[in-house]
Amino acid sequence: MEKIRHLIFFILFVSCKISQGSNPMDPSSPTYLGLLLLNADSVVKMEFSSNRVQPGGIIYVTTNYDFTTNTHGLRLPVTNTTTNPISQVIPRSKFLYEVRMAPGVTSGKFTMNLKDYYLGESLLVNPESFEFEIDSNPPLLQLKTGNGIDISELQSGFLDIEANEEIVWDGNLSQVELSGNAKNSLVVSDIIVSSRNIRLLFAGNPNANGGILSIRFNGVKDKALNTQGVITVPVQVFAFKSGPNMNIARRSCVGMELDDGRKMVLGGRAKSGVLINGNGTLSSTEYYNSISKEFTIGTDMIYRRQEFAIVKLLDGRLLVSGGFGGKVGSPSNESLKSIEIFDPVTSTWTEGPSLVTPRQLHKMTLLPNGDVLVVGGLTPFSPFQSVAMVELIHVTADPGLMTVETIGNLVNSRGKQAQILSSNTGKVVIIGGERSDVTGPATTDYNARSIDSIEIYDVTTKTLSTSSAKVIKRFNHFTHSLSNGEILILGGISSRFNDNQPILRAQIYNPTNDTIRDHKNLLFGREWGSSFVFPYGKDQIVIAGGLEYRTVNGNTFDSILDTESWSETDNRFYLTSRSLNARWDGCEIRYSSTGGGMILGGRIGSILANTEEYSFE
């Protein structure tokens, strides 16, 4: 039961098929046509993934209407029952909603009558009602190859669906129907059926925008030959698609989605031979318009910066600090300690206070009270020195009134670390990184190595401490918060020297009890890549691009085309196809509103201007 309860997007469901009959909301009916002439809203269509629901289980509803814009979201009024069997409705995208059932309701039938409720909101719903039966043990099928299908380069491919018991099915092409906004011309070219597995072979020109694909199977019967009518799976379809070129080719940049929906790329290093403001380090910014699919030049920063850090403040302003570069008008580059703030309403940059310690390749974390924690980094030029001092930027509405407070020193100075706020514990977790100690005056007189320590900043007490847990030594790695409050740690490399090895083993850190455990292996050990959160809840993290060191001595590397995903439901990594460019050292913009994002610039030998978008809808 517990396993079934947590199968999200992996479960194949029985589709609700309700006869339209004389429904006045039928788009072909005279009543409906009359309502359209009276300027009534378009018909809202809903389809539930099952009409047999399991106590404590999950079903899904897909719709053509964005209920996330409604004050109360999607409402599902229930009748014909004394106890409401629905415990929660969770939006997984604009058009897909997860319906969680109450575990205490174990039998019976119920009805959802949507007509009267949604007419009150001037919405026409077709069908008007749905009938459901509570079944403690419905037959189950699940996607075997993950919770979605990547169509980035798919002209042909397959999807495996696994049954929890033997099935009886003819397996004819006529028994398979595709629908949803990702259908386009994607077709099933062949079917291979075994006792507990259905393999669908796809062909055609898929929809490059991704979305939801519903696969319907007619006439599938379970082990006891109980027909289930039409069985449906909602499959997430996603893809990398080529985006427009930026106006300036750049690497070592940063990106951010603004609260008004604009996507912004800032700073970085221009391609060889290009000088702007007298230097190859950039102060320029660009906006990406997702409607016109164009980049336009924005307002320059006050400083030229690469390898710097950025956070979006609680009020929507951007704060950047440090990096390698100089003030516009100055021809030289150095490690920066300056701070500047961007106001997206006025499109202006204002210089704030300076950090005490200059740094690049550092991390900043926005704290719940709106202040910003600054940790780690490196000083420029050989011999490199990693930074131990931790600083706190006190944020105010007037950048001129902002102040910087020194918190103390890390036990292990570091740069290129991972850093994440644990909202459950009120602590910032600082994981791994590269420590560089100067040993002499020559440019080669330094000792650089990855470290295994985890240090903690307590937001409430403003104190630093060292965790008893040890991470596998790594830097340039990724972290992601999981739904249970734990932290997934993945990727990175161990060294810059001949003993360099990619770190395949992922780990999970529990900030509540300060423990760490080994997890599954990545398919590719990578650094300098990008990662995005799948927009439909907790189930997937997508990892793309970066470098993998493939030789024994560690000094030869390849950039990576293959993308892979991690499923929290299945707790595993799986291959999801390829990005369009094997790039590294670019920047990314994560789309907070819809999930996914964009990868910009970077290197494939030379520095790039091209972009690609990871699209889900």
Side-chain angles (χ1 to χ4, degrees):
M1 180 73 72
E2 189 68 17
K3 178 180 178 182
I4 294 171
R5 187 175 295 121
H6 290 87
L7 282 174
I8 296 178
F9 295 117
F10 284 63
I11 303 177
L12 234 53
F13 304 92
V14 180
S15 176
C16 290
K17 288 296 183 179
I18 299 178
S19 174
Q20 292 178 348
S22 59
N23 185 354
M25 304 305 175
D26 187 332
S28 63
S29 72
T31 303
Y32 173 67
L33 294 176
L35 287 169
L36 284 183
L37 292 175
L38 292 173
N39 294 320
D41 287 348
S42 299
V43 165
V44 176
K45 295 183 179 180
M46 294 188 191
E47 181 176 286
F48 289 84
S49 57
S50 176
N51 61 1
R52 289 190 182 182
V53 299
Q54 186 176 32
I58 295 170
I59 60 174
Y60 291 91
V61 55
T62 57
T63 176
N64 62 336
Y65 182 81
D66 180 8
F67 283 96
T68 62
T69 61
N70 284 24
T71 303
H72 302 294
L74 173 64
R75 293 288 186 90
L76 299 173
V78 173
T79 58
N80 294 346
T81 180
T82 56
T83 305
N84 191 344
I86 296 176
S87 64
Q88 194 175 10
V89 178
I90 303 172
R92 292 310 187 192
S93 76
K94 294 178 181 178
F95 309 110
L96 180 66
Y97 298 81
E98 176 184 315
V99 182
R100 296 187 177 183
M101 312 308 298
V105 183
T106 58
S107 63
K109 297 181 179 181
F110 62 93
T111 303
M112 291 183 190
N113 288 313
L114 306 178
K115 175 187 175 182
D116 294 339
Y117 179 82
Y118 284 110
L119 276 178
E121 296 194 5
S122 301
L123 296 175
L124 308 177
V125 181
N126 179 46
E128 299 172 359
S129 64
F130 296 86
E131 301 289 339
F132 296 87
E133 180 179 354
I134 299 173
D135 185 346
S136 61
N137 190 29
L140 290 175
L141 297 172
Q142 67 182 38
L143 292 178
K144 194 175 181 179
T145 50
N147 67 341
I149 181 169
D150 189 324
I151 58 173
S152 300
E153 294 184 347
L154 179 68
Q155 298 301 317
S156 64
F158 67 88
L159 194 66
D160 275 344
I161 299 163
E162 188 175 49
N164 67 327
E165 61 180 5
E166 291 185 7
I167 58 172
V168 179
W169 188 51
D170 295 338
N172 296 324
L173 288 174
S174 61
Q175 295 175 291
V176 179
E177 178 187 348
L178 305 182
S179 62
N181 62 355
K183 175 185 175 182
N184 201 15
S185 57
L186 189 67
V187 298
V188 177
S189 61
D190 203 357
I191 305 170
I192 303 171
V193 182
S194 62
S195 62
R196 296 198 179 193
N197 192 79
I198 300 171
R199 172 169 287 189
L200 301 180
L201 279 70
F202 289 96
N205 179 23
N207 182 351
N209 291 321
I212 298 294
L213 179 71
S214 293
I215 306 174
R216 296 187 174 120
F217 300 87
N218 291 287
V220 176
K221 300 178 182 180
D222 66 8
K223 185 177 182 181
L225 299 182
N226 297 318
T227 180
Q228 301 302 319
V230 178
I231 298 181
T232 303
V233 58
V235 180
Q236 302 163 17
V237 180
F238 44 93
F240 275 110
K241 58 182 179 179
S242 180
N245 281 358
M246 296 180 290
N247 291 282
I248 301 171
R250 61 182 83 210
R251 66 166 177 87
S252 303
C253 46
V254 300
M256 185 65 69
E257 182 184 52
L258 302 177
D259 284 350
D260 60 15
R262 288 179 295 172
K263 283 76 175 173
M264 193 174 185
V265 58
L266 307 90
R269 177 77 186 181
K271 66 190 302 182
S272 179
V274 174
L275 297 180
I276 300 173
N277 293 326
N279 200 288
T281 302
L282 300 171
S283 61
S284 73
T285 68
E286 301 186 43
Y287 296 114
Y288 172 60
N289 186 316
S290 57
I291 304 300
S292 65
K293 306 297 182 185
E294 294 178 330
F295 280 95
T296 57
I297 295 294
T299 308
D300 274 14
M301 295 184 288
I302 299 169
Y303 286 79
R304 297 176 286 100
R305 302 177 191 266
Q306 65 184 81
E307 298 171 346
F308 60 108
I310 185 171
V311 293
K312 184 164 65 173
L313 302 176
L314 295 179
D315 59 9
R317 292 179 297 167
L318 305 184
L319 184 150
V320 301
S321 74
F324 181 67
K327 200 162 191 175
V328 172
S330 171
S332 61
N333 284 338
E334 60 185 0
S335 192
L336 299 174
K337 57 183 180 180
S338 63
I339 296 169
E340 52 187 304
I341 295 89
F342 176 72
D343 186 334
V345 177
T346 60
S347 294
T348 56
W349 289 94
T350 304
E351 190 164 1
S354 292
L355 298 172
V356 175
T357 303
R359 59 185 89 208
Q360 64 194 78
L361 295 168
H362 56 296
K363 292 291 190 298
M364 295 196 302
T365 300
L366 178 67
L367 304 183
N369 68 351
D371 289 343
V372 177
L373 187 72
V374 185
V375 180
L378 300 173
T379 57
F381 311 118
S382 297
F384 298 105
Q385 175 72 56
S386 50
V387 176
M389 180 179 288
V390 175
E391 304 183 55
L392 185 64
I393 304 171
H394 295 287
V395 174
T396 60
D398 182 355
L401 299 178
M402 292 184 182
T403 58
V404 176
E405 177 186 0
T406 57
I407 297 298
N409 289 337
L410 298 170
V411 173
N412 286 291
S413 64
R414 68 190 75 203
K416 308 175 189 175
Q417 76 273 16
Q419 187 169 306
I420 191 167
L421 174 67
S422 167
S423 56
N424 287 5
T425 62
K427 297 176 181 179
V428 178
V429 185
I430 304 154
I431 303 168
E434 181 184 64
R435 176 165 182 164
S436 298
D437 296 314
V438 175
T439 59
T443 58
T444 56
D445 291 341
Y446 68 96
N447 179 30
R449 62 191 183 280
S450 55
I451 54 178
D452 59 8
S453 69
I454 298 175
E455 301 194 50
I456 309 293
Y457 173 75
D458 190 306
V459 175
T460 303
T461 62
K462 295 169 62 174
T463 56
L464 294 164
S465 61
T466 302
S467 166
S468 60
K470 298 290 186 183
V471 70
I472 296 172
K473 293 181 178 181
R474 62 179 89 207
F475 60 89
N476 281 340
H477 48 295
F478 310 88
T479 57
H480 284 278
S481 292
L482 304 184
S483 60
N484 63 0
E486 293 185 320
I487 298 168
L488 177 68
I489 306 163
L490 62 153
I493 59 170
S494 64
S495 173
R496 281 278 175 243
F497 303 101
N498 287 342
D499 61 349
N500 179 18
Q501 294 295 324
I503 309 301
L504 291 171
R505 178 68 70 181
Q507 295 177 285
I508 295 178
Y509 174 71
N510 187 321
T512 302
N513 56 27
D514 191 33
T515 59
I516 196 166
R517 65 183 186 274
D518 283 353
H519 190 48
K520 307 295 178 61
N521 276 7
L522 282 165
L523 305 178
F524 299 89
R526 63 180 90 206
E527 65 153 343
W528 295 118
S530 297
S531 60
F532 304 106
V533 176
F534 209 79
Y536 305 122
K538 69 177 186 177
D539 203 49
Q540 185 166 307
I541 297 165
V542 179
I543 308 112
L547 294 177
E548 181 177 38
Y549 291 78
R550 300 175 185 271
T551 57
V552 174
N553 64 7
N555 57 16
T556 300
F557 57 82
D558 291 323
S559 50
I560 305 171
L561 269 173
D562 295 280
T563 67
E564 56 189 296
S565 295
W566 184 79
S567 165
E568 185 169 354
T569 299
D570 260 10
N571 277 289
R572 67 184 180 93
F573 294 94
Y574 54 91
L575 191 66
T576 48
S577 192
R578 289 188 162 193
S579 54
L580 303 178
N581 295 277
R583 71 179 79 219
W584 61 283
D585 195 20
C587 55
E588 64 194 42
I589 302 174
R590 295 178 179 176
Y591 297 171
S592 59
S593 56
T594 60
M598 173 175 276
I599 305 177
L600 310 96
R603 310 188 220 183
I604 308 176
S606 63
I607 298 175
L608 305 173
N610 66 32
T611 65
E612 52 192 286
E613 196 168 8
Y614 205 65
S615 173
F616 302 87
E617 288 192 341

